[in-house]
Amino acid sequence: MISGAALRFWHHVNPVSGATAAAYAARYEPRIRGRQQEVLMVAVDDRVSWNTSQGRTRGRVVERRNSDFTFDGQHFTASEKEPAFIVESEKTGARAAHKGSALRVLKK
């Protein structure tokens, strides 16, 4: 469900709109659910791509993490609902950690 803060913000932005809060929630709720389902579709050994400052990079998922961890000196938050993944670049072999929502599964 959409949080009360999001609905208050929406009402503030659209004070004269005839749309109801329920219509707003119905319109945007599926996108939120879709992202969560997409996270669950990523699996170890999947070929994925992710965005970097140099553009999109391709690689493979090496490991799935379900609890908070530190990787390369940076702290990451992960859970069963929103796991994090260690990915390895095809080009350089460098490893990085990303949330599942940042990864796109590629065809094999």
Side-chain angles (χ1 to χ4, degrees):
M1 191 72 191
I2 302 296
S3 71
L7 291 177
R8 283 192 297 278
F9 173 75
W10 175 79
H11 182 69
H12 175 71
V13 173
N14 300 300
V16 292
S17 174
T20 64
Y24 176 80
R27 181 174 177 190
Y28 291 101
E29 183 71 16
R31 293 183 188 173
I32 293 170
R33 275 197 211 118
R35 262 190 250 132
Q36 289 173 347
Q37 290 171 353
E38 188 175 314
V39 168
L40 298 177
M41 289 176 25
V42 178
V44 174
D45 289 331
D46 279 350
R47 189 166 177 254
V48 294
S49 71
W50 61 93
N51 203 19
T52 67
S53 57
Q54 292 82 25
R56 290 210 69 84
T57 300
R58 295 177 182 176
R60 292 215 176 266
V61 176
V62 178
E63 190 178 339
R64 175 186 169 134
R65 299 278 182 102
N66 296 326
S67 59
D68 296 355
F69 65 100
T70 301
F71 182 82
D72 204 22
Q74 187 175 1
H75 181 74
F76 289 87
T77 302
S79 66
E80 282 290 330
K81 285 188 174 183
E82 291 189 45
F85 298 90
I86 307 296
V87 292
E88 186 176 278
S89 169
E90 290 176 352
K91 193 182 259 186
T92 65
R95 290 187 175 199
H98 291 286
K99 286 191 170 190
S101 59
L103 302 174
R104 284 189 199 163
V105 178
L106 301 174
K107 293 180 182 178
K108 293 190 176 195

